[in-house]
Amino acid sequence: MNAIAISIFIAYIIAVIFVGYIGLRRSKKSSEDFFVAGRSVGPLLLFFSLAATNFSAFFFFGFAGAAYKYGFGYYGIMAIGTSLMAITFFLLGRRIWRIGKGYSLITPPELFGVRYRDKPLRFSILVVFVLFTLPYIATQAIGGGIAIQTLTEGAVSFEMGAVIVTAVIASYLMLGGMRSDVLTDLLQGVMMVVVALAAIGFVSYGFGGFNEANAAALEAAPALFSLPGGAEFFTIQIWISYLLLWTFCDPLFPQLFQRFYAARDERAIRTSMLAYPVVTAALFIAPVLIGVWGNVDFTLTGSEVDNIMPLMLSEHAPGWAFGLVMAAGFAALMSTADSQLLVLSSMLTRDVCSFFRKGKVTSAMEIKTGRAIILVLALASLGIALSSIESIFSMLTKTTFTGLAILFPATVATLYWKKASATGCISSILIGEGLYALIYFEILPSGWMMGFIPAIPLVLISTAVLIVVSMFTKKPDESLVSEFFGHLEKKRKTDVEATSGTDKPLS
Amino acid sequence: MGMPRLRPNGKKIKAIIATVWLIATMAFAIFSPGLQDHTPVFLGLPWVVVLSIICQASIFGLFVFIAKFIWIIEEGDE
């Protein structure tokens, strides 16, 4: 076993739990504090939290693997697409923050609840969020189990690895909720940036220089250096689809959506928007370069390509660097899984337990319920990871991006269109998701999509359905609409006023 | 009755500039002929990477424009 690599990994786990404990020390006894950090997350923490939550284990493993297969074009779709996505921080995040502050909202479905006061819509949104988020947590437990097994060369089994990852995440989340979550996101985000850039240095040094590495890769696989790329993957339709996909689906990941509520003020969201293109430009090049350069040293097929990052580091970097990358991969994995666990816990606590409970619901009750649900969800995801029903959830994970993108028209209409109706939103979601199921199971032929990925035509169809149905169905109560849009239109407080509350800011 | 407004107000002009900026950036990202050229351009990196970085710089410029002229927090709602 690589003792240095394992030591680095253990040190990282201890650091994460310690940072989670700091979150507990800074937290207050309110459900608003537990689930959205008392709306006190400043610009630096918000940016790192959004980025670390957004970039999952795929960043270290799947991203490099895709670049190995398809080439530098993958940098284009991921970097441009993700940069462009940050425009939704302005178009959606700003309004979500205002509404969240105005109504003291904590969960994404609550926003639809206060706009329409329509239970079926609120629960439709809840079901879509839960259905496409829970399997992802199980995926992270599976990834963690495999990584620990690899790191220890089999001394720790896959099952025990999955238990360790799940236990660590559940521990710090149950301690401090969102405060622990965003603080660990900072640690995990910094680690991802440092390790990704260091990995380029190690591997290019192994090739004798940056230019030399690229020259060797060009000779080995010239198709990877332009479009349509390896396996002629990047048709014009696929290129356009992926440039747009992240804009439609990323802000609808409930764990990202909820972070808009947690912002201290609009300035924090605006700073995150400005930082996103800068960081993606610098950061995303690392896995792409290493994936493309991997064609010089290795011939991999199938799912083996996702191992290209650790393989290249074991080939070109010192032993301890391998441990560092595995720990950074863990950081990416944990920073996504913890946020998903927390947002699911908040939704099941507020949109189900508190909603249906008769009598007064106190903050203390919600925190207790939230912690219990975190534990139950962690155990459930572990059960999925270790059981044979994993394949069903694997299918759901593959469909997550499109499944959530279908919520985009309903979200935009809710925030911008006063004539949008609850029936219009539900119809748009049901028809969109229904059509996607028909396409996924190949009941509906895919020729009509003209080579685009399903998310693009389905977002257009869902938009059309929403508009048409809203025009012919009962509008929401005028006073509800006025109250909702009143929160958007009234003058905002300055930063000084916004931070003058009693909550201790996280900046 | 006042004279009909012949010129769009400042908010509309800013929105039009931002929209045109966004469309031009995306058109550049989609239709640049360099995307099909595998010749190394800078440090051995191909056009597709260089063009992607130019697009991201343009998107960053757009966000700076939005932050400076449209999303003005100090003055309240834009």
Side-chain angles (χ1 to χ4, degrees), chain A residues 78-369:
Chain A
M78 292 299 289
I80 299 174
T82 308
S83 300
L84 182 66
M85 181 278 290
I87 202 168
T88 61
F89 295 4
F90 165 63
L91 296 173
L92 304 181
R94 173 185 61 138
R95 288 183 171 234
I96 290 169
W97 180 82
R98 288 180 184 182
I99 296 292
K101 192 171 175 65
Y103 286 102
S104 300
L105 305 182
I106 285 176
T107 73
E110 285 176 345
L111 183 130
F112 298 87
V114 295
R115 167 76 163 82
Y116 302 102
R117 302 286 156 101
D118 185 89
K119 287 181 195 169
L121 173 61
R122 182 171 169 176
F123 288 106
S124 302
I125 301 270
L126 175 71
V127 167
V128 173
F129 278 141
V130 173
L131 200 61
F132 290 111
T133 307
L134 183 61
Y136 241 103
I137 304 173
T139 310
Q140 311 292 350
I142 292 167
I146 293 169
I148 290 185
Q149 191 180 26
T150 310
L151 188 70
T152 60
E153 294 170 8
V156 176
S157 66
F158 158 73
E159 290 80 7
M160 185 52 70
V163 170
I164 292 170
V165 173
T166 310
V168 170
I169 293 172
S171 305
Y172 66 72
L173 268 187
M174 288 168 71
L175 283 175
M178 178 67 96
R179 283 186 189 267
S180 295
D181 193 2
V182 293
L183 286 172
T184 53
D185 281 346
L186 177 64
L187 174 72
Q188 290 155 345
V190 169
M191 190 156 177
M192 284 165 65
V193 172
V194 171
V195 172
L197 298 179
I200 298 179
F202 283 125
V203 178
S204 64
Y205 183 76
F207 276 101
F210 196 88
N211 269 320
E212 287 73 9
N214 279 323
L218 180 61
E219 196 179 329
L224 303 184
F225 279 63
S226 62
L227 301 191
E232 301 200 346
F233 178 72
F234 297 108
T235 60
I236 185 77
Q237 294 93 331
I238 291 293
W239 185 252
I240 294 170
S241 294
Y242 280 103
L243 288 178
L244 299 176
L245 175 66
W246 317 123
T247 303
F248 293 143
C249 71
D250 277 7
L252 274 307
F253 275 103
Q255 64 271 23
L256 291 179
F257 193 120
Q258 192 174 47
R259 269 157 177 70
F260 296 134
Y261 291 150
R264 184 172 69 201
D265 47 39
E266 289 186 40
R267 191 185 300 275
I269 304 175
R270 193 175 67 176
T271 304
S272 300
M273 176 186 78
L274 288 168
Y276 239 71
V278 178
V279 170
T280 53
L283 193 58
F284 283 15
I285 195 70
V288 172
L289 280 171
I290 292 171
V292 171
W293 294 345
N295 285 273
V296 178
D297 292 324
F298 298 97
T299 304
L300 306 174
T301 53
S303 60
E304 287 176 348
V305 299
D306 290 341
N307 293 326
I308 192 65
M309 174 74 92
L311 283 172
M312 288 295 281
L313 281 154
S314 59
E315 180 80 10
H316 295 286
W320 57 267
F322 175 72
L324 208 55
V325 167
M326 294 308 278
F330 255 85
L333 175 154
M334 289 167 77
S335 60
T336 303
D338 58 9
S339 311
Q340 290 170 324
L341 208 50
L342 185 68
V343 74
L344 277 184
S345 159
S346 71
M347 288 193 290
L348 294 175
T349 300
R350 299 262 303 186
D351 295 307
V352 180
C353 297
S354 298
F355 189 81
F356 288 109
R357 194 175 192 286
K358 286 177 182 153
K360 193 175 184 305
V361 180
T362 64
S363 263
M365 286 161 65
E366 286 194 332
I367 294 172
K368 267 187 193 168
T369 311

Side-chain angles (χ1 to χ4, degrees), chain A residues 358-440:
Chain A
K358 286 177 182 153
K360 193 175 184 305
V361 180
T362 64
S363 263
M365 286 161 65
E366 286 194 332
I367 294 172
K368 267 187 193 168
T369 311
R371 285 185 169 135
I373 290 175
I374 287 172
L375 189 62
V376 170
L377 287 172
L379 291 172
S381 66
L382 195 58
I384 295 165
L386 302 179
S387 73
S388 56
I389 56 169
E390 180 214 318
S391 58
I392 300 165
F393 286 87
S394 165
M395 180 268 288
L396 281 170
T397 307
K398 282 179 200 158
T399 56
T400 296
F401 292 96
T402 302
L404 291 177
I406 288 166
L407 297 181
F408 188 79
T411 308
V412 172
T414 297
L415 292 169
Y416 281 91
W417 193 32
K418 292 181 180 176
K419 291 179 181 173
S421 73
T423 316
C425 289
I426 292 178
S427 307
S428 128
I429 295 165
L430 290 182
I431 290 176
E433 303 289 0
L435 279 174
Y436 185 42
L438 294 177
I439 293 167
Y440 185 83

